[in-house]
Amino acid sequence: MVIDLRSDTVTRPTPDMLKQMFAAKIGDDVFHEDPTVNELEAKAAAIFGKEAGLFCPSGTMTNQIAIKMHTQPGDELLCDVTAHVFNYEGGGIAFTSGVQPRLINGDRGRFTAKQLTDAFHPDADWLPRTTLVTVENTSNKGGGSYYKLENVKEIAKVCRDNKINLHLDGARIFNALAETNEDPKEYGKICDSVSICLSKGLGAPVGSVLLGKKDFIANAKRIRKLLGGGMRQAGYLAAAGIYALDNNVKRLKDDHKRAKHLGGLLQGKDYIEAVLPVDTNIVIFMLSDKMPSDKFMAALAKENILVSLMGNQLVRMVTHLDFTDEMLQITEKTLKKI
């Protein structure tokens, strides 16, 4: 048995998901003729109260399409210093859009409306124009921390008052909603575009959906094609996304419960320097100097437990639907033995 806690992207389709995938009706999505892709896009859009959706291979693609749509070369976007769009998308902001990111030092990936206001440039010819703000909910590098709707509403008001677009990188937005019980349509009202990922906590094998107004999505589809994202008979993959939205949202609280249990186990261990608060399904902790990260990871690997390294001595564990209570017990015994 391999216990893979490196990411919630390691999940595999369940038998029921596979059954729905292979039964999917398909067509050529580049010609807008795949009925299952159309169904997924409409379904995701309806959840957030948006007019339309665009199915893409990855969350990186949906984010980078959104940035391209909202900006012009030479513009500036504002995001948190830990933001996925800045740290983990291969320099796509510069490569694809020719845009300069400027970073805000928030709290575990979350910045405030006041911090956003303070970050704005004055209007001057020699300064870049700020045309986009991105928020990430939940925050990956922030250890699964999440915004509350009221805070995003405050940020959205600042954006509206300054005629700046707001993009939500909602790769794990359903994890946040599982904790807050907020209505996703409220996010759709205040964000100009929303990206949701199907292949993380929701367990689909591939895909993210970009949401926005009809004309925004129509133009975004051109950018998707330019980036090589036209997937033809993608209905087999879209069917997995539909299954994920119908069946795997409510169970996210199980992942959170297991993650919080892991976080509690790590607290007070003499080989642990600090553990970030565990809000959802991500556990990030700092090893003490007397426990080198390679030694720690090797000790886990002996028990077939895989984790990821986020930085010097900084380790991440992510729970997901393939991480069971039995696996949790084995991990607990292993951590206690170290």
Side-chain angles (χ1 to χ4, degrees), residues 227-239:
L227 295 176
M231 294 186 287
R232 304 298 179 180
Q233 289 76 28
Y236 294 118
L237 300 175

Side-chain angles (χ1 to χ4, degrees), residues 54-282:
L54 182 65
F55 184 45
C56 293
S58 70
T60 292
M61 183 176 283
T62 50
N63 282 335
Q64 293 303 320
I65 289 173
I67 292 169
K68 182 69 175 174
M69 289 292 299
H70 288 305
T71 64
Q72 292 295 321
D75 286 352
E76 178 180 79
L77 70 79
L78 294 174
C79 63
D80 189 83
V81 67
T82 66
H84 192 280
V85 295
F86 175 72
N87 289 280
Y88 298 124
E89 298 188 6
I93 294 172
F95 185 85
T96 305
S97 299
V99 170
Q100 173 176 293
R102 195 146 60 93
L103 308 176
I104 300 172
N105 287 302
D107 171 33
R108 296 174 55 219
R110 303 159 299 182
F111 55 84
T112 67
K114 183 181 186 305
Q115 285 180 299
L116 177 61
T117 301
D118 292 343
F120 286 142
H121 285 306
D123 186 12
D125 291 343
W126 54 90
L127 296 173
R129 293 185 311 155
T130 303
T131 55
L132 179 63
V133 171
T134 70
V135 294
E136 183 182 346
N137 200 17
T138 65
S139 170
N140 177 18
K141 286 195 76 172
S145 60
Y146 55 86
Y147 285 92
K148 291 186 177 179
L149 178 63
E150 60 190 80
N151 303 125
V152 182
K153 282 184 175 180
E154 292 168 354
I155 290 170
K157 184 178 185 305
V158 172
C159 290
R160 286 195 306 273
D161 291 346
N162 289 273
K163 299 180 180 179
I164 293 171
N165 288 316
L166 176 63
H167 172 65
L168 170 62
D169 175 5
R172 294 181 175 91
I173 183 63
F174 290 104
N175 292 90
L177 295 172
E179 292 296 318
T180 64
N181 294 313
E182 294 164 344
D183 184 352
K185 289 186 175 63
E186 293 299 313
Y187 282 91
K189 288 178 183 177
I190 61 177
C191 297
D192 297 285
S193 56
V194 177
S195 168
I196 64 169
C197 185
L198 304 168
S199 64
K200 292 188 172 70
L202 299 189
V206 173
S208 290
V209 186
L210 179 63
L211 309 173
K213 292 183 177 179
K214 285 183 179 179
D215 58 347
F216 176 88
I217 294 299
N219 289 322
K221 192 168 290 188
R222 297 179 63 87
I223 305 300
R224 184 188 69 172
K225 181 64 176 175
L226 181 151
L227 295 176
M231 294 186 287
R232 304 298 179 180
Q233 289 76 28
Y236 294 118
L237 300 175
I242 293 170
Y243 182 92
L245 291 171
D246 286 341
N247 296 279
N248 291 345
V249 173
K250 292 182 179 179
R251 59 150 308 282
L252 288 171
K253 291 282 281 187
D254 297 336
D255 298 340
H256 300 178
K257 182 180 178 180
R258 294 183 183 113
K260 290 171 185 178
H261 185 75
L262 285 172
L265 288 172
L266 293 164
Q267 292 284 356
K269 292 284 184 292
D270 60 1
Y271 57 84
I272 300 293
E273 184 72 26
V275 182
L276 287 183
V278 182
D279 295 331
T280 50
N281 70 321
I282 299 176

